[in-house]
């Protein structure tokens, strides 16, 4: 399948388990018509798929607006809400972030899984920084504009 967008970006672990670490990894992101996939790059070797999200399962794609200090070298976050997880991705600059958010929105705008509201800030330290709710799956606090 042909590539719509690809770039090295940084992601935060999705913390799928209660005990998952909150770490940050550089990954090669590739967007196609059907999937958002991220690879671990290995010098002189074949890249390894670390994760892949079915675009049909995406519920929201938006930039993250936050005043918290970002503990990785890329400082422009956006979020991909899918299934019961949130993938936070960090782009190196505003242009890159906008390209990803626009392309992902374009590919997911007709999903029947879109949510009416999302959280504009991070889920961190057991709460939403936007609305202070303590449930990771709590309904969003800002209208989503796909
Ligand atoms: C891993 O930490 C990596 O951050 C994984 O990211 C991440 O998976 C894991 O989160 C997290 O436990 P370690 O490398 O220290 O084990 P990647 O797959 O890019 O390597 P995600 O789901 O974020 O891809 P969990 O919660 O999925 O296990
Ligand atoms: Zn919120």
């Amino acid at each position: 399948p042909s590539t719509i967008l690809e770039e090295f970006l940084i992601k935060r672990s999705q913390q799928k388990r209660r005990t998952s670490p909150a770490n940050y990894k550089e990954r090669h992101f590739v967007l196609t018509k059907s999937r958002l996939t991220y690879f671990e790059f290995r010098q002189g070797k074949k890249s390894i798929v670390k994760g892949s999200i079915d675009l049909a399962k995406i519920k929201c794609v938006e930039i993250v607006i936050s005043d918290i200090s970002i503990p990785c070298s890329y400082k422009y976050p956006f979020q991909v809400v899918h299934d019961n997880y949130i993938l936070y991705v960090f782009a190196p600059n505003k242009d890159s972030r906008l390209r990803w958010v626009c392309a992902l929105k374009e590919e997911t705008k007709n999903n029947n899984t879109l949510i009416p509201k999302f959280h504009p800030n991070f889920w961190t330290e057991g709460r939403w920084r936007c609305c202070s709710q303590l449930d990771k799956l709590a309904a969003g606090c800002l209208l989503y504009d796909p």
Side-chain angles (χ1 to χ4, degrees), residues 11-17 20-21 23 25 27 38 50:
K11 59 169 282 290
R12 186 171 107 178
S13 61
Q14 295 184 75
Q15 296 173 277
K16 292 181 172 169
R17 294 163 288 116
S20 295
N23 54 26
K25 310 264 178 176
R27 297 290 177 240
Y38 47 93
K50 284 295 188 171

Side-chain angles (χ1 to χ4, degrees), residues 37-54:
T37 306
Y38 47 93
F39 299 81
E40 180 182 4
F41 176 78
R42 299 177 306 161
Q43 195 70 49
K45 294 187 194 167
K46 204 175 180 299
S47 296
I48 305 172
V49 175
K50 284 295 188 171
S52 187
I53 298 170
D54 179 357

